[in-house]
Amino acid sequence: MATAPAANDNTRPSRLGPFLRSPAFGLVLVALLAAAPAAAILLGQPFWLTMATRVAIFALAALSLAFILGQGGLVSFGHAAPFGIGAYAVLILADLGIADALVAFPVAFLAGALFSGVTGTVALRTRGVYFIMITLALAQMAFFTFTSLSAYGGDDGMTLWARSTVAGQKWLKNDLTFAYLAIGLLALFLVLGNRVLASRFGRVFRGLKENESRLAALGYDAYPVRLVAYALAGGVAAVAGALLANQTEFVSPAYMAWQRSGDLIVMVVLGGLGPLHGAIVGAAVVLVVEETLSHLTEHWKIIFGPLLILIVLLRGGLIARLLGGRRG
């Protein structure tokens, strides 16, 4: 009797697969990232301290996009808009004399969630390429609105006088303290994101991506579920923008340009559209490769582009490659 052909080694799932998909592995990635700032200080490499902080900030922004893109199938090409709005929330509050992070960061979250909620009421009535284009158009409207604000530097942007305080204390002035704030917020929102996805709301949200008509038959309305998820993702992206404004001590409309939205999509795709922590991997790879290649040539994107295409052709992102399969 003929036997079935052996499975191809390239498609055999890794024994580590369940762990690599699990939220626990996400915390391992955060722990590895948390070791980087201390190592940078011990080795006398302040640049890597700055890089670790930047990775944490963009990982948080990419995680917020992965929440709606990977889990809900909402390909937003305007996710940089709430990211930039969070940065401007810090700038505007500082200009009004409110520099406390305990006020600025919640306000940034609410501003980003409000923008995403309001624009989502229109964008979420569309699907596919129409959704992509309308999110891009709404983000460009925000971009040009902030470009016209001459009181806050217009197209040139504006410098923050100092980083936000915490209960009146200038703790965030210390780069190591600020790095651990960024990493701590990344860990917090990663845990909260996984808890939301494991809840009834999260299961419905993920189910809408797989079979919306079946859930509609069960009595679930897709529109409000997607709108809440979209608003939450915008709020988290705004917190990441508030962190970037503090790190660079500078805010510009470029934070919400369509190219920034493209960068976030690249990070999510590289990490894979499966678990949320894939965004951490994607952000780290993009930023490290960008920094490395930019030292080799000013045309580094010519090299990075084919690398990105290769990952996309492999399907599933870097996490999927570690799993040993072809699905993220």
Side-chain angles (χ1 to χ4, degrees), residues 124-147:
L124 289 171
R125 297 186 184 278
T126 61
R127 293 289 184 275
V129 68
Y130 302 105
F131 177 79
I132 296 173
M133 295 308 296
I134 198 168
T135 55
L136 173 61
L138 291 169
Q140 287 300 100
M141 289 173 60
F143 171 80
F144 287 111
T145 297
F146 282 93
T147 297

Side-chain angles (χ1 to χ4, degrees), residues 144-191:
F144 287 111
T145 297
F146 282 93
T147 297
S148 66
L149 296 180
S150 57
Y152 298 102
D155 190 44
D156 295 325
M158 189 172 181
T159 300
L160 284 172
W161 287 105
R163 287 180 179 171
S164 298
T165 59
V166 179
Q169 303 298 316
K170 298 182 179 180
W171 292 329
L172 300 186
K173 187 176 181 180
N174 182 280
D175 288 340
L176 185 62
T177 302
F178 184 78
Y180 281 114
L181 170 66
I183 294 171
L185 287 174
L186 173 62
L188 173 64
F189 283 111
L190 176 62
V191 171

Side-chain angles (χ1 to χ4, degrees), residues 19-114:
F19 174 68
L20 294 178
R21 293 190 195 93
S22 70
F25 182 62
L27 295 179
V28 170
L29 291 175
V30 173
L32 291 174
L33 183 58
I41 294 296
L42 291 175
L43 297 175
Q45 297 290 336
F47 168 76
W48 290 108
L49 171 61
T50 302
M51 177 59 74
T53 307
R54 190 171 175 83
V55 168
I57 293 171
F58 279 96
L60 179 58
L63 183 148
S64 68
L65 179 58
F67 181 78
I68 58 172
L69 197 164
Q71 304 300 321
L74 300 176
V75 186
S76 172
F77 216 94
H79 207 63
F83 180 78
I85 286 171
Y88 270 96
V90 172
L91 175 65
I92 294 171
L93 287 174
D95 188 59
L96 296 174
I98 305 172
D100 199 312
L102 298 177
V103 176
F105 281 34
V107 168
F109 178 90
L110 292 174
L114 179 63

